[in-house]
Amino acid sequence: MRSALVALLIFVWIPVMLFKPHIGVLVWSWVSHMNPHTHTFGFANSFPFLVIVGVLTAAGMVFSREQKSFPPHPILIIVLIYVFWTIVTYSFAFEPTIGKPKIIQFMKMIAFAMVSVVVMQSPNRLKGFFYVMVISLMFIAVKGGAFTLMTGGGNRVQGAGGMMSDNNQLAMAMAMLFPLALYLVKHHHHKIFKWPAIVAATMVPFAAIGTQSRGGFVALGAVFFMLLLKSKRKFIILAVSVPLAVGAVAFMPDSWKARMQSTENATEDDSFIGRVAMWKFSTNLAADHPVEGGGFDVFYVRHMGLAEKYMPAGYRMKAPHSIYFEVLGEHGYVGLFVFLTMLFTGYYAAGTNAKMFRKYKETEWVGDMSSAIQLSFIGYAVGGLTVNIAAFDFFYHLLITVVLCRIVGDRLVEKGVTKVEKTGILAPKSKGKWKPPGQGVRPQPAERVLG
């Protein structure tokens, strides 16, 4: 029954995708982030839904008569540069067959992101793209948070499939999701969605804590700290969050507390020492191959003497457990530089959007969305220190969302916007509609202009 239901929910949109490609993008986003087929036990579990949706969406772009444009945004430029470099490093890889599945998955994800930025350039489509992505992940958060509460935190919340295949990756997704969930609480659009949004947002930290991932716990703490710094209501946030945090920690079992406290003695933890050994592997490999690295998934090449040559004595090769050392080992110092530039560009562009668009009533939601995504990037950057998700689709889709926010925000400003009125005794009076220079100016007679 589950397989039939998932297949029906996807296939019912097939005729629409052929003429409205933005519907195909939304269906792709739902399947990609929620992974509904992984919750089934029949044919749907292994059915290639994303391939079919991708082909139909591409066909819809051909049939659709809508005007399409590819914006020359700095984020897109640096993403394409990074993609080009991964192709170069793959061609020079030690063992291309090992990294073939990863590069195929990465290219499909990038192709979807590029299609999204072309067809989702309107306010409603941007909202749909963002809401489908966030609500899909919040479904996983509600399941994980409820499981943590029902089991008293005694059992670990495992991965949810796709890019969140293990508990560390799921914890990272939850840490990145938290500020986006708070955005939905603020912009719920209808009172009927207010309390469901609040309950779902509350479940996100419980889902992250329930994974028992130390990296995810640190990432969640970093997001909360930055949220506190950027917020104008620090006292209210502390008054609500501190009791909840204390209660959550007291609620968790001793095994969870012992695992979290092990971060204080990281140098004595075998798991952490093993990760340091893999980081050493990446730096040793990059020392010999600083430009091209070793190619996708070089960490799983068991022959060619890589372990003997680059691993510290007494340790075996495993996952890199860091986005930075993952990129360094796979794509060299050039790839790492481009990757860091991409991360910084996304963070800076999101902050710029927030400053530009939060000043006006018509674009305030765009600014808040960008600000929430900026906090998500903090979680990705901090949590990525110990989790290998450099090709995480959630991160790249947030980059695309920042680009869409800029496009939509600029178009709304061109139509004319109203400045947000400040509250308080000293607040200035509203001056009404504001328009860009050159708009709304009454033309002067030629004699008066020329004197």
Side-chain angles (χ1 to χ4, degrees):
M1 286 297 295
R2 291 185 185 180
S3 292
L5 178 61
V6 171
L8 177 63
L9 290 174
I10 296 175
F11 290 150
V12 73
W13 295 105
I14 285 180
V16 184
M17 296 178 199
L18 289 173
F19 301 97
K20 296 184 181 296
H22 64 278
I23 299 298
V25 170
L26 296 179
V27 174
W28 176 293
S29 181
W30 172 58
V31 177
S32 177
H33 292 104
M34 186 187 289
N35 296 299
H37 54 289
T38 62
H39 300 279
T40 66
F41 302 97
F43 72 94
N45 189 273
S46 57
F47 195 83
F49 290 111
L50 287 179
V51 175
I52 295 176
V53 173
V55 171
L56 294 175
T57 303
M61 292 186 66
V62 176
F63 296 146
S64 175
R65 296 181 179 180
E66 294 180 354
Q67 184 177 0
K68 306 173 185 67
S69 61
F70 188 82
H73 194 279
I75 288 180
L76 298 182
I77 295 173
I78 196 66
V79 167
L80 292 178
I81 292 174
Y82 181 69
V83 170
F84 168 76
W85 189 250
T86 60
I87 296 174
V88 172
T89 60
Y90 176 74
S91 63
F92 289 96
F94 286 106
E95 186 55 70
T97 56
I98 296 292
K100 186 176 181 180
K102 186 172 182 178
I103 191 173
I104 291 176
Q105 180 67 26
F106 182 65
M107 292 302 165
K108 289 194 297 185
M109 180 266 295
I110 292 296
F112 163 74
M114 296 300 114
V115 169
S116 301
V117 82
V118 170
V119 303
M120 307 303 282
Q121 299 179 16
S122 74
N124 287 335
R125 292 185 182 183
L126 169 59
K127 291 178 181 179
F129 181 74
F130 181 82
Y131 289 166
V132 168
M133 175 173 58
V134 174
I135 293 175
S136 297
L137 291 170
M138 289 179 72
F139 169 79
I140 298 173
V142 170
K143 285 187 60 180
F147 178 79
T148 301
L149 292 175
M150 288 188 297
T151 60
N155 295 322
R156 187 168 69 180
V157 178
Q158 299 293 348
M163 287 288 182
M164 299 175 290
S165 57
D166 64 24
N167 65 309
N168 292 311
Q169 295 167 346
L170 178 59
M172 278 287 298
M174 295 299 100
M176 296 171 64
L177 175 64
F178 184 54
L180 310 182
L182 295 180
Y183 171 87
L184 287 189
V185 172
K186 181 178 180 181
H187 297 273
H188 51 271
H189 294 293
H190 196 283
K191 60 182 180 180
I192 197 174
F193 300 117
K194 179 179 179 180
W195 284 106
I198 292 175
V199 172
T202 304
M203 290 292 104
V204 175
F206 281 103
I209 293 172
T211 62
Q212 300 186 13
S213 169
R214 290 166 291 188
F217 185 73
V218 173
L220 183 63
V223 170
F224 176 78
F225 178 74
M226 289 301 299
L227 175 65
L228 187 63
L229 288 181
K230 295 171 69 69
S231 175
K232 296 180 180 179
R233 301 177 178 178
K234 295 180 175 59
F235 179 78
I236 296 177
I237 293 177
L238 287 174
V240 174
S241 59
V242 170
L244 288 175
V246 173
V249 172
F251 171 80
M252 298 302 288
D254 293 337
S255 59
W256 180 88
K257 297 174 185 176
R259 182 169 176 80
M260 295 302 110
Q261 290 173 355
S262 65
T263 56
E264 299 175 1
N265 301 314
T267 56
E268 301 175 4
D269 183 74
D270 292 337
S271 176
F272 179 79
I273 295 175
R275 296 183 183 191
V276 173
M278 285 306 301
W279 300 344
K280 187 65 175 177
F281 170 86
S282 294
T283 55
N284 289 340
L285 188 151
D288 284 352
H289 304 273
V291 178
E292 76 282 8
F296 277 112
D297 279 343
V298 66
F299 313 99
Y300 305 103
V301 178
R302 302 305 181 190
H303 56 287
M304 302 180 67
L306 295 184
E308 293 78 6
K309 188 174 182 180
Y310 299 120
M311 281 294 295
Y315 294 93
R316 61 183 182 85
M317 294 173 61
K318 55 182 181 180
H321 287 291
S322 171
I323 58 175
Y324 308 108
F325 289 99
E326 178 185 4
V327 174
L328 177 62
E330 291 180 342
H331 311 301
Y333 283 103
V334 175
L336 179 61
F337 174 78
V338 178
F339 179 81
L340 292 175
T341 303
M342 181 170 59
L343 178 57
F344 174 78
T345 303
Y347 178 85
Y348 179 80
T352 301
N353 287 352
K355 292 179 181 179
M356 290 178 59
F357 301 128
R358 283 174 123 176
K359 299 183 294 185
Y360 311 114
K361 292 181 179 180
E362 292 81 358
T363 60
E364 187 177 9
W365 64 273
V366 180
D368 288 344
M369 184 181 294
S370 298
S371 181
I373 294 174
Q374 189 181 39
L375 291 174
S376 294
F377 289 154
I378 292 292
Y380 181 75
V382 174
L385 290 168
T386 57
V387 183
N388 51 295
I389 50 172
F392 199 22
D393 54 356
F394 189 21
F395 167 65
Y396 291 90
H397 295 164
L398 289 179
L399 287 175
I400 295 304
T401 307
V402 173
V403 177
L404 292 172
C405 283
R406 181 57 185 266
I407 296 171
V408 171
D410 284 344
R411 291 179 180 178
L412 291 175
V413 169
E414 289 177 359
K415 294 180 180 179
V417 289
T418 308
K419 287 190 175 183
V420 176
E421 295 182 2
K422 297 180 180 180
T423 58
I425 300 177
L426 300 179
K429 295 182 179 180
S430 174
K431 296 183 179 180
K433 285 279 186 176
W434 177 90
K435 292 186 178 181
Q439 295 191 22
V441 179
R442 181 177 300 175
Q444 300 292 329
E447 298 84 3
R448 186 179 301 175
V449 173
L450 299 177

